[in-house]
Amino acid sequence: QANGRRFYTLEDLTDIRAALNIHVGKAADEDAVIIANSNFKGGVGKSTITKHFADYLGLRGYKVLVVDCDPQASTTTMFDIKPETLMDTEQTLGDYLSPRSTFEDLRLAIYDTAWPTIKIIPSSLGLQDAEWDLTATLQEGGQAVRESLQRLRIGLSGLSKEFDVIILDPPPAMGFLGLNVMAAATGLLIPVPARQLDYLSTIHFMDTVADNIEILEKNGTPVDYGFIRIVCSAFSPGKPGEADMWKMMQATYANSLLTQPILASEEIKNATQAFRSIYESKPSASHATYQRCRTNLDEVFGEVVQLIRQQWPSTSMAGRSASIAA
């Protein structure tokens, strides 16, 4: 540039990492970590966190697949895909999940995004129909129910070697779509604002998660989460009651709570309204405000990345110790 500053595209960064033999993700023979960004209360920032976390990972060179399992399709829209444009295709997530459909190759439902390191399986208007079709298997019982609960898990197992991280954005309800997400996930991230109603709702949500794990296990679909973490979202320490609620969350959730909350920010709000993350938008206020917001998100997501890397033998502390001992 004329001012002497250099700018690099994400493709440039990918080439630089390859030239320097910098590999940030898993080993080729390892499986992706599948994270469900779950909470069935609306307004907790689920889709916003999904978008920002995917962009954070993609910027750092991780291969990411986002799977939008919510019929509201907020995450799909934030990745510049309009759900109504998928009406004429029969290769969608809804078609794959529906027991009535003959669509069997989930890979064909993957779409490119503006990020070369991020792919997406978008939501579509037919996803709600898939929920009804899955629920209808209750009448058949036995094997039919078991297969309906494992549809997403089976589909993602065929893609797991191709990505480092798969992020699931589930619906805000625990029907058959929600159970499919729980069955497919290997880790849970639960966003909770520091507000009393959200706090109480999350306690109920965690009880429901425990109940549904039992349902899955009784139907031959055991789950084994590498981690479950709660993230305090949209935290405003200056608002009445939120600082006290944050302390209560720390006391209640202890080691299951990420140490850093996501701070409420106009930067996130403005970027989301433009269907962007702050990782792909310019500052809407001062550069210092933007940088504070981005630093905060980097710290929060950095904690999650450490949890992710502990799931891969090639990058975990246990794996390194075993390698050194050998």
Side-chain angles (χ1 to χ4, degrees):
Q1 300 292 321
N3 60 7
R5 298 181 65 183
R6 293 182 178 179
F7 293 88
Y8 298 93
T9 65
L10 192 52
E11 289 85 353
D12 292 334
L13 294 177
T14 300
D15 292 340
I16 290 170
R17 290 188 183 102
L20 297 176
N21 198 28
I22 298 173
H23 179 67
V24 300
K26 64 179 182 59
D29 62 337
E30 293 172 333
D31 291 319
V33 173
I34 305 174
I35 300 177
N37 191 14
S38 298
N39 196 328
F40 44 56
K41 189 175 188 306
V44 299
K46 190 165 56 70
S47 296
T48 299
I49 292 174
T50 297
K51 169 63 174 169
H52 279 81
F53 186 40
D55 289 1
Y56 170 89
L57 292 170
L59 184 61
R60 279 152 182 79
Y62 291 91
K63 297 176 183 177
V64 182
L65 175 65
V66 176
V67 186
D68 190 356
C69 305
D70 188 347
Q72 297 179 49
S74 299
T75 298
T76 293
T77 304
M78 291 184 74
F79 278 102
D80 292 327
I81 296 176
K82 297 179 180 179
E84 59 269 21
T85 63
L86 306 177
M87 288 184 64
D88 294 332
T89 178
E90 296 179 353
Q91 297 177 340
T92 66
L93 178 62
D95 291 309
Y96 177 81
L97 293 177
S98 172
R100 294 189 300 125
S101 173
T102 57
F103 176 52
E104 295 290 340
D105 189 355
L106 188 56
R107 181 177 284 99
L108 297 177
I110 296 176
Y111 286 70
D112 292 332
T113 72
W115 294 73
T117 46
I118 303 174
K119 307 290 185 184
I120 186 171
I121 296 179
S123 175
S124 64
L125 300 178
L127 197 53
Q128 188 61 58
D129 294 337
E131 173 79 76
W132 297 330
D133 293 340
L134 290 166
T135 304
T137 61
L138 284 171
Q139 298 177 355
E140 303 174 45
Q143 182 67 20
V145 173
R146 185 158 47 251
E147 289 177 357
S148 71
L149 292 173
Q150 295 180 359
R151 289 290 292 168
L152 185 59
R153 176 193 280 191
I154 293 170
L156 293 180
S157 67
L159 305 172
S160 192
K161 296 290 192 295
E162 301 174 28
F163 297 94
D164 296 312
V165 181
I166 299 174
I167 306 175
L168 310 179
D169 188 5
M174 197 57 78
F176 266 72
L177 280 176
L179 286 169
N180 259 271
V181 170
M182 283 190 62
T186 58
L188 297 182
L189 188 63
I190 304 171
V192 183
R195 300 187 294 256
Q196 187 174 22
L197 288 177
D198 295 290
Y199 171 79
L200 296 174
S201 174
T202 301
I203 293 175
H204 173 56
F205 172 74
M206 296 297 283
D207 289 338
T208 304
V209 167
D211 291 341
N212 283 311
I213 287 175
E214 290 186 17
I215 292 173
L216 291 170
E217 291 179 343
K218 287 179 180 178
N219 286 279
T221 310
V223 295
D224 183 16
Y225 299 130
F227 61 88
I228 299 175
R229 289 295 184 275
I230 293 167
V231 53
C232 180
S233 60
F235 178 51
S236 299
K239 280 189 175 181
E242 290 207 14
D244 291 337
M245 187 56 64
W246 167 242
K247 292 178 182 178
M248 185 179 295
M249 291 173 68
Q250 289 175 304
T252 304
Y253 301 129
N255 294 332
S256 295
L257 178 70
L258 295 183
T259 62
Q260 293 290 328
I262 296 177
L263 300 175
S265 172
E266 286 297 312
E267 291 292 338
I268 294 178
K269 180 180 178 181
N270 292 334
T272 302
Q273 287 177 344
F275 303 110
R276 296 286 183 271
S277 75
I278 69 163
Y279 294 106
E280 55 187 358
S281 61
K282 295 180 180 179
S284 61
S286 69
H287 182 75
T289 301
Y290 172 85
Q291 195 58 50
R292 276 196 301 271
C293 176
R294 182 158 173 167
T295 298
N296 169 241
L297 288 177
D298 287 350
E299 291 174 348
V300 173
F301 295 146
E303 284 191 60
V304 185
V305 166
Q306 291 305 311
L307 294 168
I308 290 171
R309 295 180 67 81
Q310 288 303 310
Q311 309 309 306
W312 299 321
S314 62
T315 58
S316 69
M317 294 300 294
R320 289 180 198 146
S321 298
S323 177
I324 292 170

